[in-house]
């Protein structure tokens, strides 16, 4: 039986090079309360994060996936552009093709601004932020699907809470 060891339950922009969001499903997004200092709000996503893809072993032809429900919060977002074309129907979740770090620059001493491009299968979401934090809400589950059921993942949540 395949095993998986979760290295940590909170990930940040410092971990970007070790992360990948291809085929992760977005259950929803929300703008969190406005930061009084910056005037910007956080942008939070409820996603199923795929930690590991397992190649099929013959005679099986399907991949297996280690997946967790996660809250992905981009801090102090601005310059938001959303372009999603779902004219074909709203039959499933938004699916991430990739999250691309377009640029990073130091706005003030030790205060970095990141420009993000979330490439979706049906469009894109672009914005700038002061970084991100991804909270793993439950230990990864081994499954044959790239998305978890509500029973497996729990209700939709935008809470910045990681598993203990």
């Amino acid at each position: 039986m395949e095993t998986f060891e979760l290295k940590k339950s909170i990930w940040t922009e410092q971990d970007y090079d070790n992360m990948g969001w291809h085929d992760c499903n977005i259950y929803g997004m929300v703008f969190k309360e406005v930061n009084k200092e910056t005037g910007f709000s956080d942008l939070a996503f409820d996603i199923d994060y795929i930690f590991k893809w397992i190649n099929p072993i013959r005679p099986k032809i399907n991949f297996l996936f280690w997946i967790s429900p996660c809250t992905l919060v981009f801090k102090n977002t601005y310059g938001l552009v959303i372009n999603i074309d779902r004219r074909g129907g709203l039959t499933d979740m938004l699916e991430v093709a990739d999250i691309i770090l377009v640029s990073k620059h130091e706005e003030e001493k030790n205060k970095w601004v990141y420009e993000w491009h979330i490439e979706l299968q049906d469009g894109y979401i672009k914005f700038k932020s002061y970084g991100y934090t991804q909270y793993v809400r439950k230990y990864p589950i081994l499954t044959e699907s790239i998305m978890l059921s509500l029973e497996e993942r729990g209700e939709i949540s935008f809470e910045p809470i990681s598993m203990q």
Side-chain angles (χ1 to χ4, degrees):
M1 177 57 126
E2 181 77 26
T3 60
F4 179 78
E5 180 184 346
L6 183 65
K7 294 184 184 353
K8 56 186 174 178
S9 61
I10 297 177
W11 301 73
T12 71
E13 66 278 349
Q14 303 301 314
D15 300 303
Y16 174 78
D17 289 336
N18 297 315
M19 299 179 77
W21 291 266
H22 181 71
D23 282 348
C24 292
N25 284 281
I26 298 173
Y27 286 78
M29 63 185 223
V30 67
F31 300 99
K32 302 292 259 183
E33 80 182 58
V34 174
N35 180 313
K36 291 179 176 112
E37 232 179 84
T38 64
F40 305 139
S41 65
D42 292 350
L43 177 59
F45 294 89
D46 181 1
I47 65 172
D48 280 345
Y49 185 77
I50 303 171
F51 279 98
K52 185 175 181 182
W53 295 53
I54 300 169
N55 290 322
I57 299 171
R58 293 184 188 252
K60 293 192 174 202
I61 59 170
N62 296 329
F63 282 85
L64 294 174
F65 309 93
W66 283 101
I67 301 177
S68 284
C70 293
T71 302
L72 175 58
V73 180
F74 289 91
K75 298 176 260 188
N76 295 303
T77 58
Y78 64 97
L80 177 68
V81 176
I82 299 175
N83 184 338
I84 300 171
D85 186 347
R86 296 302 298 258
R87 285 181 271 185
L90 293 172
T91 57
D92 56 5
M93 304 293 159
L94 292 175
E95 188 177 308
V96 176
D98 201 3
I99 296 182
I100 300 161
L101 174 57
V102 177
S103 67
K104 171 185 170 182
H105 72 273
E106 195 169 21
E107 187 175 81
E108 298 172 17
K109 180 106 172 119
N110 296 320
K111 189 175 184 180
W112 293 89
V113 173
Y114 301 82
E115 182 177 353
W116 302 102
H117 184 141
I118 300 177
E119 190 70 39
L120 304 170
Q121 300 300 343
D122 299 317
Y124 60 83
I125 303 170
K126 296 180 181 182
F127 55 90
K128 294 179 181 177
S129 79
Y130 290 177
Y132 71 80
T133 305
Q134 182 168 297
Y135 303 88
V136 181
R137 297 194 314 262
K138 286 188 175 180
Y139 197 84
I141 297 169
L142 183 62
T143 179
E144 293 181 358
S145 173
I146 60 170
M147 69 189 286
L148 300 174
S149 69
L150 285 178
E151 183 178 307
E152 291 170 315
R153 72 184 317 274
E155 295 299 318
I156 294 171
S157 175
F158 301 102
E159 293 304 314
I161 299 169
S162 65
M163 55 180 244
Q164 300 303 321

